Amino acid sequence: MRQEKASSSLSPFMLGWLIILGILAAVLCLPVYVSLNLGYWESKGPFKNWTQVLDLDGDSDLDVLISHTRWEDVDISWAGVGMWINHGDGTFELQRDWGYGGWPFGGFAAGAGDVDQDADVDVFTMDKIHINQGGVQGGELGKYFSTGGIDAPYAYDQGYRDMGGTITLGDLNGEDLVDAFVAGCCYGMDSGKPGIDLPHAPSASWVWINDGRTDGRQTGHILPLEALDGYPIRQAALGDLDGDGDEDVYAAVGVPTMGAVDVLDDLILLNDGIGNLTVSDLPLGHTDSTSVALGDANGDGHLDALVGTSTGAKLMINQGIESGSGSLFTPSEQSFPAAQTLGEKLQGGVSAAAGSVWGLYLPYGSVRTTAAFLSDLDGDGDLDALLARLWGAEVWWNDGQGEFTRSGVRLAYREDTGVAVADFDGDGDLDIFAGRNEADYQVWWNDGQGAFSTDR
């Protein structure tokens, strides 16, 4: 059972005075807080952080791969991929002290899986496969990876590469090999602003089919997805959405950073079983989606979708209808409003004003969901929800029927942080990891019943 802490009661008179004092403190301190951090956030944000959990070094515990991207302007950014190596004693080490720019792998996104079927984890970036040669715990993993080339689709003739995509690995053609779905983000078809030297290329998404070879250029083969040109897909998830036994794609589509598209609905791409993906015309609605997690939220045997948005999250319930007939997903009435203090709401107002009046990026008080997870966090057999936002994450408990209730679990971190959920200490329950783009991280350990602590 989850245990709730008892809270002391205050008289209405005292509570009223505390609220008034809190409001005054927030009003007086907020301008100082914003001004002290203005220079940092004006030049450092926003961030996109994409995590995956795997055993990268072959020592039987779970490590974390994080892709970080930071925009200094709408068309100026840096990116890199780092590996947080789990030492098995509750500590992690960031491996990124080699490779281009101080990062283990270059590129704006990375996926990981056993590409060459040799029982260790390889890393797939936009145009390369980094083959694991048997990295060991405590060593420099850089020397254990060799690189083979991938010829990505020719993204128009403008030369400016997409900067915010994700790469998801899975068996797309039923041949028991690890393939890849590469989601492009975040530019529409109509250029509104040039890039550094050349006009930007609209977002392009594509499929890489593994043919079992890992040497030289033209490894595997490419299936372009021209129907997705210009769609800002901020994250994609693979799963059998229509019950026919193959891996389909749920694509969370956001508002484009530049340019435009005709519609901004989320997309379902249905698989024909051999890796050819077709965009379904089943409506999903548009909410400026930012992330997605698949799982059976209501226990009916079908994969539902928990979709993060710029204003919170939505739950899409899979109706279990075969493709081509009716609506495959319908929105749940469940809402996931952010739990904001009065100070955070005031910060949100100041940030919005700074953006609209001066064009400054200030993420204070944002309710944007950057990552969504469906995981059994309290060990009762159903999938709970973890919603990671810019400055912290919160847990929602599932009653087993797909109805979620906000818990008191709130985890604070900074904006440049990637969040991951897994059993990091091997005790059979799910913990929560948060790693920054610098050598700084935090783990919240689960007691098996949904109570989290930073102490072990």
Side-chain angles (χ1 to χ4, degrees):
M1 294 179 60
R2 296 185 293 272
Q3 296 180 351
E4 302 290 343
K5 292 183 178 179
S7 61
S8 59
S9 60
L10 295 173
S11 69
F13 178 79
M14 291 296 296
L15 183 60
W17 272 109
L18 286 176
I19 292 174
I20 292 173
L21 291 174
I23 293 174
L24 290 175
V27 171
L28 293 174
C29 294
L30 184 61
V32 177
Y33 180 66
V34 171
S35 63
L36 289 175
N37 291 275
L38 177 60
Y40 176 83
W41 288 113
E42 184 182 358
S43 61
K44 295 293 187 180
F47 282 86
K48 176 183 176 65
N49 308 286
W50 161 241
T51 65
Q52 292 159 91
V53 177
L54 310 102
D55 181 9
L56 292 167
D57 55 358
D59 65 351
S60 299
D61 55 33
L62 294 175
D63 312 301
V64 183
L65 184 76
I66 305 184
S67 305
H68 295 284
T69 305
R70 188 199 80 206
W71 283 266
E72 293 189 3
D73 195 356
V74 69
D75 54 0
I76 301 175
S77 73
W78 62 254
V81 183
M83 298 180 293
W84 284 95
I85 302 303
N86 187 348
H87 288 290
D89 59 357
T91 63
F92 287 75
E93 178 185 358
L94 178 60
Q95 293 275 1
R96 64 168 192 177
D97 56 351
W98 53 273
Y100 176 75
W103 292 92
F105 312 108
F108 294 105
D114 186 6
V115 174
D116 58 355
Q117 291 189 300
D118 65 351
D120 55 32
V121 175
D122 312 301
V123 177
F124 187 109
T125 56
M126 285 289 187
D127 57 357
K128 294 181 177 65
I129 298 177
H130 307 267
I131 299 299
N132 194 337
Q133 303 298 319
V136 295
Q137 170 115 352
E140 296 181 11
L141 269 70
K143 64 183 180 183
Y144 295 106
F145 284 84
S146 63
T147 299
I150 295 292
D151 281 342
Y154 191 61
Y156 308 93
D157 58 357
Q158 302 179 68
Y160 194 66
R161 294 301 301 272
D162 210 355
M163 300 190 299
T166 57
I167 299 175
T168 309
L169 302 190
D171 182 10
L172 289 170
N173 63 350
E175 294 185 352
D176 295 324
L177 294 173
V178 174
D179 309 306
F181 179 81
V182 182
C185 181
C186 297
Y187 302 140
M189 291 296 293
D190 302 319
S191 176
K193 184 178 180 181
I196 299 173
D197 298 314
L198 297 171
H200 80 280
S203 297
S205 298
W206 45 283
V207 167
W208 176 79
I209 297 297
N210 190 347
D211 63 5
R213 296 183 299 113
T214 56
D215 55 333
R217 304 295 299 184
Q218 302 293 349
T219 297
H221 64 278
I222 301 300
L223 300 177
L225 294 171
E226 295 181 359
L228 301 184
D229 288 352
Y231 274 79
I233 300 176
R234 297 187 181 274
Q235 188 182 335
L238 303 185
D240 183 7
L241 302 179
D242 56 1
D244 63 356
D246 53 39
E247 298 267 39
D248 308 303
V249 178
Y250 191 109
V253 179
V255 173
T257 303
M258 292 190 295
V261 290
D262 293 333
V263 292
L264 294 171
D265 285 22
D266 289 346
L267 297 175
I268 292 175
L269 290 86
L270 297 177
N271 195 341
D272 66 356
I274 58 174
N276 297 305
L277 299 175
T278 302
V279 178
S280 168
D281 59 0
L282 303 177
L284 293 174
H286 56 274
T287 52
D288 189 13
S289 298
T290 58
S291 54
V292 59
L294 298 179
D296 184 5
N298 59 358
D300 65 355
H302 305 298
L303 289 179
D304 307 306
L306 178 64
V307 182
T309 71
S310 60
T311 57
K314 64 180 180 180
L315 180 64
M316 302 294 291
I317 301 298
N318 191 332
Q319 301 301 306
I321 301 174
E322 292 293 335
S323 59
S325 59
S327 297
L328 186 59
F329 284 86
T330 59
S332 166
E333 295 182 359
Q334 173 78 54
S335 63
F336 297 88
Q340 286 188 292
T341 65
L342 179 60
E344 288 171 333
K345 292 179 179 179
L346 290 171
Q347 290 176 353
V350 171
S351 297
S356 61
V357 177
W358 298 293
L360 300 178
Y361 171 74
L362 298 175
Y364 310 122
S366 173
V367 295
R368 182 182 186 86
T369 298
T370 58
F373 303 87
L374 282 171
S375 305
D376 184 6
L377 296 173
D378 57 1
D380 65 353
D382 54 42
L383 299 180
D384 308 301
L386 176 71
L387 298 177
R389 297 190 168 100
L390 288 180
W391 288 85
E394 60 182 11
V395 172
W396 291 69
W397 302 126
N398 190 348
D399 67 355
Q401 305 298 316
E403 294 292 332
F404 292 82
T405 303
R406 177 189 282 119
S407 76
V409 180
R410 296 188 70 191
L411 314 173
Y413 47 75
R414 291 185 55 168
E415 186 198 8
D416 57 342
T417 300
V419 177
V421 178
D423 181 7
F424 291 112
D425 56 2
D427 64 353
D429 52 45
L430 298 178
D431 311 301
I432 301 172
F433 173 91
R436 294 182 59 204
N437 67 304
E438 300 175 355
D440 185 21
Y441 71 95
Q442 182 64 66
V443 183
W444 289 271
W445 305 105
N446 194 340
D447 70 349
Q449 298 180 332
F452 294 88
S453 172
T454 56
D455 299 324
R456 295 197 64 197

